[in-house]
Amino acid sequence: RIDFSAKDVARRLDDACRDHGFVALENPPGLSKALVEEAFAGAKELFAQDSATKATMKRIDPVTNRGYTPFRSEKLQNDGASDALEAFSVKLPLDSNDWTGCPPRFRRAAERALEASKVAIREYAIKCAAALGLPETYFSDKLNVGDLCTLRFMHYPPTTDFVRAGAHTDFGLFTFVFVDDHDVSKGLQLKPQQSRHWADVDGSAKEGGHACVVNTGALAARWTNDRWRATLHRVVAPDAEAARGHRYSIIVFADPDADTLVTVHPKFVSPDNPCKYPPITSRDYVHAKLSAMMQRAPHDTAIDDTLL
């Protein structure tokens, strides 16, 4: 757990990212408690709509990564089941999104959250550079356009399955997971690098406070030659009560600008730790991962409207 306003953020961030890559970040910049609460309210209104309305929404594709993801149309884990969720993704610029079928409250909340996320992404990127001993703007300069950064709203309906979203690592630089007063992080689990066992992620804030969960992605691992880890994580229904309920999640994927060439930094290469990754553009890497995730699912199904 790291307070973003603390003086030792950089050191503690490096420790966490070298170990498991997950931090509970208190007082995240730009992401106020009121903004997050309204984002969750908008998401619940969006996903409460019936299947006929959802059928009018623009469907997502791996090239644009915008729009509606139908239930069970993605598969994060190669050897697992299709993920028991539906989602809606928005990106910058705001006028590039198709809001057909979306309630006005959801659109307003999504636009505000996406704009606010730009502040959080930039400030956190600067802290990441400091933690690694790199120039202050090393990462933030590669997030100026924001053309691959994505704000994603997800809904997990009641389920009989234990695993709601299969084991995976995130694709980009880092990921923000919004947390509300109902502790939507419940059910999020990580698998530490040196362990065969899954561990619960606690993203709850101190009483009266506000927090979010942040984890490093695969491109951070590539840039640092695995000094920072992209850790496996998944979403489960940890008990019968959770399985009977609806779970909502709001995530910001901070992926570097499309034309950014991600190359292992020389600082992290040595005779004992040779370069592990060839250069690749952010666009090529993220699009390949998205395509694989969407193609692995055999089909999508509509959610039973009686569950909404």
Side-chain angles (χ1 to χ4, degrees):
R1 185 175 300 277
I2 299 175
D3 189 327
F4 195 80
S5 63
K7 293 181 179 180
D8 62 345
V9 171
R11 177 189 60 78
R12 296 184 63 193
L13 187 58
D14 185 46
D15 289 345
C17 293
R18 293 178 73 175
D19 181 19
H20 50 70
F22 275 74
V23 298
L25 188 67
E26 295 187 339
N27 303 309
L31 302 177
S32 70
K33 186 174 182 178
L35 180 141
V36 171
E37 288 175 347
E38 182 58 21
F40 275 105
K44 291 173 183 177
E45 191 169 316
L46 173 78
F47 293 121
Q49 298 181 118
D50 60 28
S51 55
T53 302
K54 291 173 183 175
T56 68
M57 296 178 183
K58 174 68 175 178
R59 181 160 178 167
I60 199 168
D61 68 77
V63 176
T64 65
N65 198 26
R66 294 178 177 88
Y68 178 64
T69 299
F71 186 63
R72 288 199 182 278
S73 63
E74 295 177 347
K75 186 178 179 182
L76 284 163
Q77 185 174 339
N78 280 325
D79 57 352
S82 300
D83 300 316
L85 62 86
E86 59 177 338
F88 196 93
S89 299
V90 298
K91 295 173 66 178
L92 293 170
L94 293 177
D95 60 7
S96 66
N97 299 290
D98 188 332
W99 302 98
T100 302
C102 296
R105 184 180 189 181
F106 169 76
R107 178 174 179 174
R108 289 193 302 270
E111 289 180 335
R112 289 170 184 164
L114 191 56
E115 284 291 339
S117 296
K118 292 192 296 184
V119 176
I121 289 170
R122 176 174 176 78
E123 294 301 314
Y124 192 79
I126 290 172
K127 295 293 187 185
C128 287
L132 290 164
L134 298 174
E136 181 180 84
T137 60
Y138 185 80
F139 293 121
S140 60
D141 282 349
K142 299 168 179 62
L143 293 158
N144 278 332
V145 180
D147 51 357
L148 291 186
C149 292
T150 306
L151 174 63
R152 194 167 210 229
F153 298 80
M154 291 185 283
H155 169 226
Y156 303 82
T159 183
T160 57
D161 299 328
F162 175 68
V163 176
R164 282 174 149 164
H168 64 284
T169 58
D170 290 345
F171 311 146
L173 182 56
F174 52 81
T175 303
F176 282 89
V177 182
F178 291 9
V179 176
D180 70 356
D181 285 341
H182 302 291
D183 188 16
V184 297
S185 65
K186 185 176 183 181
L188 178 60
Q189 295 184 328
L190 66 86
K191 194 173 187 180
Q193 298 291 331
Q194 306 302 323
S195 175
R196 289 180 293 179
H197 304 288
W198 290 92
D200 294 330
V201 176
D202 179 11
S204 58
K206 294 179 181 177
E207 186 173 352
H210 172 51
C212 67
V213 172
V214 190
N215 65 279
T216 50
L219 290 183
R222 292 178 78 100
W223 251 315
T224 64
N225 211 27
D226 285 340
R227 175 188 175 96
W228 282 12
R229 307 300 187 98
T231 299
L232 274 177
H233 54 283
R234 66 182 184 180
V235 176
V236 302
D239 52 47
E241 180 182 2
R244 289 193 296 268
H246 295 263
R247 184 184 191 277
Y248 299 88
S249 182
I250 302 175
I251 295 177
V252 178
F253 295 103
D255 299 344
D257 297 339
D259 292 330
T260 298
L261 186 65
V262 180
T263 305
V264 174
H265 193 283
K267 176 176 180 174
F268 307 111
V269 177
S270 69
D272 294 330
N273 189 33
C275 182
K276 300 174 183 176
Y277 303 105
I280 190 170
T281 65
S282 181
R283 175 192 290 108
D284 288 346
Y285 187 83
V286 172
H287 284 181
K289 292 293 187 179
L290 288 170
S291 295
M293 177 182 69
M294 295 177 189
Q295 291 170 5
R296 281 194 293 260
H299 58 80
D300 57 81
T301 58
I303 296 177
D304 184 345
D305 286 345
T306 62
L307 295 176
L308 301 175

